[in-house]
Amino acid sequence: MNDLFSAAAEDDESDDSPAGGVRAPGVVRPRSPLAVRMRPRTLDEVVGQQHLLGRGSPLRTLAGEHDPGAHAAPSSVILWGPPGTGKTTLAHVIARGQGRKFVELSAITAGVKDVRRVMDDALTSRDLYRQTTVLFLDEIHRFNKAQQDALLPGVENGWVVLIAATTENPSFSVVSPLLSRSLLQTLRPLDESDIRGLLQRAVDDERGLAGTVELSEEALEHLVRLAAGDARRGLTALEAAAGVAHSEREPQPGAHRGGEDWMDGEDDGGEGDDAGEDAAPVLVTLDHAEKAVDVAALRYDRAGDQHYDVASAFIKSLRGSDVDAALHYVARMLEAGEDPRFIARRLMISASEDVGMADPTALQTAVAAAQAVQLVGMPEARIILAEAVVHIATAPKSNAAYNGINAAIADVRAGRGQGIPAHLRDAHYPGASQLGHGKGYVYSHDEPHGIALQQYAPDDLVGRNYYEPTDRGVERDIASRLAKLRRIIRGK
């Protein structure tokens, strides 16, 4: 059990002298990771999640930012979202609220006894000291039913205000009584602009790299893509890339180390440090970023030529039934940060245009994949996309339906197909029968085989065939049936 007040204080003072006022000679205290140092101190510094941080929101109330006109008491909340979206960050910000005792437990290591001890202490703090206890419980989905039930008395009676964090759907991982007594707050993955702003702030902020480095545009974009909406991952990659850049800088004879001090936490307090302050920032290049995280930057611009070239190669590989090449291009797009929904849309088009009726289930697979990708998200969405790619690439191919609709549109645009046969027109409105509408119409279900000898096409298009099925896959059977249908309908 850790008191986050103490943890926050240690983070804030990690670069200063010890409490005694004097650092022991030659002692270098390691700095906290960049992601810890850049943890926001107020809700206004939080990146993203603005849909949860409006005025009077439950999280602002928990943080002690009370609206004078509001009467809402702090509510227990469950924070649900993917890793790196700010669940722990929000808890640490709330830890700074005044008049609160803040306690942190991890469901990985805590048990029922730990929970009951917190509840007993919280009840004592409330009754004797009129102090509210805020309990942050990380990874609550790892708690079993008995452990979660132990939280109920304290949450229901107000002994504690619970902040529970989980990466799994609370509807399945949190017991119903606890879920009904808490507000569910859904955190969204950070978008690229959020990550980009966070990395730039980390470069400039005194708590971060303090201007000792500069990021090239290529390095910044690469780090943003690598983060994939995870702030912690982005900051970790940035710190590693900065370390590579510093290590490769050639030391100047007699020069102060200056910017390298951010690596080991040494800080001489300012005086006699002028040489270090004057040192030029180290440029972090794309090469440094690649070396730091061992992932090559793909030359892929989602708004430029590479986007269209790779997408074109992907579609043509599907059409050409080269499943291996198609999987390569999917991997290339995903690794470059392409939106998986874009890939899913291309799969639906390919299933209709290139597979068509040769395998009607290909479109069903593509549509199901598109829906599943939106529900699941990355990185698991890659598996769903791969299944659809394999189905479409290996399916028999036919563009007969594609050619059919194009031929029909061409005739319409050329002015062909004027009028509608009178017996097919609507005969339900008053006066329609006097115009001959519906007269002579044959109801198909009354005919043998459910097919009537009857003209359906406009007069100038009688006998015009748009759909010409191939002899591949399911269309082999369709071609035989279609020939019989046309003979009956047209009386030939």
Side-chain angles (χ1 to χ4, degrees):
M1 189 188 315
N2 298 319
D3 190 330
L4 286 190
F5 279 125
S6 300
E10 290 175 4
D11 290 341
D12 295 342
E13 296 171 3
S14 60
D15 299 326
D16 299 328
S17 298
V22 179
R23 177 182 295 160
V27 174
V28 176
R29 179 164 45 184
R31 248 187 170 182
S32 301
L34 181 61
V36 174
R37 303 203 306 273
M38 288 303 299
R39 184 167 284 156
R41 296 175 176 176
T42 67
L43 290 179
D44 293 332
E45 292 183 6
V46 173
V47 174
Q49 315 310 335
Q50 295 308 305
H51 63 293
L52 301 179
L53 300 176
R55 182 180 178 185
S57 66
L59 293 181
R60 287 197 177 273
T61 301
L62 271 175
E65 300 181 14
H66 295 287
D67 186 339
H71 301 284
S75 303
S76 293
V77 299
I78 296 176
L79 303 176
W80 173 36
T85 51
K87 299 183 293 296
T88 304
T89 290
L90 288 171
H92 278 255
V93 171
I94 292 170
R96 296 176 177 275
Q98 297 298 318
R100 304 256 175 80
K101 177 183 178 183
F102 201 95
V103 179
E104 178 179 5
L105 291 178
S106 172
I108 298 176
T109 57
V112 174
K113 290 183 178 180
D114 299 307
V115 172
R116 288 174 178 166
R117 184 164 56 248
V118 170
M119 295 303 168
D120 291 340
D121 292 344
L123 182 58
T124 300
S125 297
R126 188 197 68 172
D127 293 344
L128 295 183
Y129 308 110
R130 298 184 181 277
Q131 190 177 46
T132 300
T133 298
V134 177
L135 170 61
F136 175 55
L137 180 59
D138 201 10
E139 307 280 356
I140 189 174
H141 57 270
R142 295 180 181 271
F143 260 11
N144 59 34
K145 184 179 184 300
Q147 291 170 314
Q148 292 186 32
D149 286 343
L151 294 165
L152 289 174
V155 172
E156 185 168 13
N157 296 310
W159 304 342
V160 299
V161 175
L162 175 67
I163 304 176
T166 179
T167 56
E168 298 189 6
N169 191 332
S171 299
F172 303 104
S173 58
V174 178
V175 296
S176 297
L178 186 57
L179 196 59
S180 67
R181 290 164 173 79
S182 307
L183 297 175
L184 178 60
Q185 306 280 284
T186 304
L187 281 70
R188 301 169 183 169
L190 304 181
D191 60 31
E192 289 192 352
S193 62
D194 292 331
I195 298 293
R196 188 177 293 106
L198 177 62
L199 296 183
Q200 198 57 61
R201 185 199 301 174
V203 168
D204 300 330
D205 197 290
E206 288 298 321
R207 289 181 294 156
L209 303 182
T212 59
V213 301
E214 287 183 359
L215 274 177
S216 70
E217 189 63 29
E218 295 81 4
L220 176 59
E221 292 306 314
H222 184 48
L223 293 173
V224 168
R225 285 196 299 269
L226 287 174
D230 187 326
R232 188 184 302 109
R233 183 187 303 172
L235 290 170
T236 300
L238 169 61
E239 188 169 31
V244 172
H246 274 281
S247 66
E248 291 188 357
R249 183 181 63 174
E250 293 184 6
Q252 300 298 320
H256 186 273
R257 289 175 57 198
E260 294 185 5
D261 285 344
W262 67 273
M263 289 290 291
D264 58 21
E266 187 171 310
D267 186 354
D268 294 333
E271 283 161 2
D273 228 9
D274 294 341
E277 293 177 0
D278 294 338
V282 177
L283 180 65
V284 177
T285 66
L286 178 59
D287 182 59
H288 295 140
E290 290 177 335
K291 290 180 179 178
V293 292
D294 195 27
V295 176
L298 296 177
R299 282 10 179 214
Y300 184 90
D301 182 359
R302 284 191 290 174
D305 293 342
Q306 279 290 314
H307 167 82
Y308 296 104
D309 288 345
V310 175
S312 176
F314 170 54
I315 292 300
K316 289 170 182 173
S317 298
L318 288 171
R319 183 180 300 139
S321 300
D322 191 333
V323 63
D324 304 297
L327 286 171
H328 163 77
Y329 290 118
V330 166
R332 193 159 159 182
M333 287 187 282
L334 291 175
E335 285 298 296
E338 182 60 80
D339 187 343
R341 294 173 298 178
F342 166 79
I343 300 172
R345 290 193 294 269
R346 302 310 303 176
L347 287 170
M348 289 189 286
I349 294 170
S350 179
S352 301
E353 178 180 347
D354 297 318
V355 177
M357 292 302 295
D359 181 358
T361 65
L363 180 57
Q364 297 172 13
T365 298
V367 171
Q371 294 173 338
V373 162
Q374 294 189 64
L375 291 172
V376 174
M378 288 294 287
E380 288 81 2
R382 76 191 191 284
I383 308 169
I384 299 164
L385 292 172
E387 182 177 340
V389 166
V390 170
H391 187 157
I392 293 170
T394 59
K397 303 297 190 295
S398 170
N399 65 348
Y402 171 74
N403 289 336
I405 187 61
N406 286 346
I409 289 173
D411 277 351
V412 170
R413 290 176 177 174
R416 301 186 183 94
Q418 296 298 316
I420 297 173
H423 59 279
L424 298 184
R425 296 186 181 184
D426 183 13
H428 291 85
Y429 61 91
S433 59
Q434 298 177 8
L435 298 174
H437 291 186
K439 185 177 181 180
Y441 171 68
V442 181
Y443 190 53
S444 297
H445 294 285
D446 293 338
E447 297 301 299
H449 311 296
I451 305 168
L453 169 60
Q454 186 166 237
Q455 178 184 335
Y456 292 96
D459 293 340
D460 59 339
L461 292 178
V462 171
R464 179 83 160 92
N465 295 342
Y466 291 118
Y467 178 51
E468 297 290 354
T470 68
D471 61 353
R472 298 185 290 274
V474 176
E475 277 195 329
R476 184 184 300 109
D477 297 329
I478 292 177
S480 175
R481 176 173 171 76
L482 180 59
K484 296 176 183 177
L485 291 172
R486 283 172 175 166
R487 282 199 300 270
I488 296 172
I489 293 170
R490 298 172 183 177
K492 296 182 181 179

